[in-house]
């Protein structure tokens, strides 16, 4: 592998986990799942919608349940943002890989789709990121055992154990 700052390139060789798209996709999926769970749980959905219907501005300071719901939904959005940031870092050329074609056009073009699926990044994420995920995941899982913090533990381990 070349330096940590090289661009992505097509390759049929096996690559480390950190060079594939799944760490970013796991975070994005976790963020979407976090938001969906928030929408399904009355204890989070109702206070959030009450604050929105009351005008949103300064409406979350009214009660602790509104503040909790705000931070819960914000955490989901942050997971999505972090996942997209990782994806953009690992695959800076992914937007231009198809020569400016739209996603609709790419789905119909099987040769372009095959090329896209073979692209692997030679960039890696810092191992420190795995340590942070692991620490936050363990701390959260110990504090709130019935939670989704276990996903952060898995993410951290995957980043630390990648070769």
């Amino acid at each position: 592998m070349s330096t940590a700052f090289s661009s992505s390139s097509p390759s049929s060789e096996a690559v480390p986990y950190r060079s594939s798209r799944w760490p970013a996709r796991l975070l994005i999926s976790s963020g979407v799942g976090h938001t969906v769970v928030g929408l399904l749980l009355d204890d989070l959905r109702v206070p959030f919608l009450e604050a929105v219907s009351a005008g949103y501005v300064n409406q979350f300071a009214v009660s602790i349940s509104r503040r909790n719901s705000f931070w819960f939904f914000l955490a989901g959005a942050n997971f999505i943002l972090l996942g997209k940031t990782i994806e953009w870092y690992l695959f800076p050329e992914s937007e231009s890989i198809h020569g400016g074609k739209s996603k609709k056009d790419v789905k119909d073009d099987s040769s372009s789709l095959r090329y896209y699926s073979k692209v692997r990044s030679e960039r890696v994420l810092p191992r420190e990121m795995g340590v942070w995920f692991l620490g936050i995941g363990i701390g959260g899982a110990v504090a709130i055992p019935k939670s989704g913090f276990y996903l952060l533990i898995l993410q951290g381990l995957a980043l630390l154990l990648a070769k």
Side-chain angles (χ1 to χ4, degrees):
M1 279 192 144
S2 57
T3 67
F5 296 107
S6 65
S7 65
S8 54
S9 61
S11 172
S12 58
E13 300 174 20
V15 294
Y17 288 118
R18 291 183 294 178
S19 296
S20 69
R21 294 183 183 276
W22 82 264
R25 289 181 177 165
L26 177 61
L27 267 176
I28 293 167
S29 299
S30 297
V32 170
H34 203 266
T35 303
V36 168
V37 166
L39 291 172
L40 293 174
L41 296 175
D42 289 339
D43 289 345
L44 294 168
R45 181 186 69 249
V46 171
F48 190 84
L49 293 177
E50 286 173 352
V52 170
S53 66
Y56 191 78
V57 177
N58 203 29
Q59 294 302 310
F60 292 95
V62 172
S63 72
I64 190 72
S65 61
R66 285 188 182 184
R67 284 191 292 270
N68 288 344
S69 68
F70 177 82
W71 285 108
F72 191 89
F73 286 108
L74 187 64
N78 280 324
F79 287 139
I80 295 168
L81 178 62
L82 181 58
K84 288 302 291 179
T85 302
I86 289 170
E87 189 173 61
W88 290 325
Y89 169 74
L90 290 177
F91 299 94
E93 300 163 356
S94 65
E95 294 299 318
S96 61
I97 226 174
H98 305 292
K101 296 179 183 179
S102 70
K103 289 184 179 184
K104 179 182 174 254
D105 296 334
V106 170
K107 288 180 183 174
D108 297 336
D109 184 357
S110 62
S111 65
S112 182
L113 186 58
R114 257 183 266 126
Y115 173 80
Y116 181 73
S117 66
K118 289 182 181 179
V119 171
R120 298 288 189 255
S121 177
E122 294 176 358
R123 293 179 172 194
V124 294
L125 295 173
R127 291 182 58 81
E128 181 181 0
M129 194 171 219
V131 172
W132 277 99
F133 276 115
L134 190 61
I136 293 169
I138 290 171
V142 169
I144 309 169
K146 292 182 182 180
S147 68
F149 281 105
Y150 300 99
L151 290 173
L152 291 180
I153 294 172
L154 292 176
Q155 184 94 39
L157 287 173
L159 292 172
L160 288 172
L161 298 175
K163 298 178 186 208

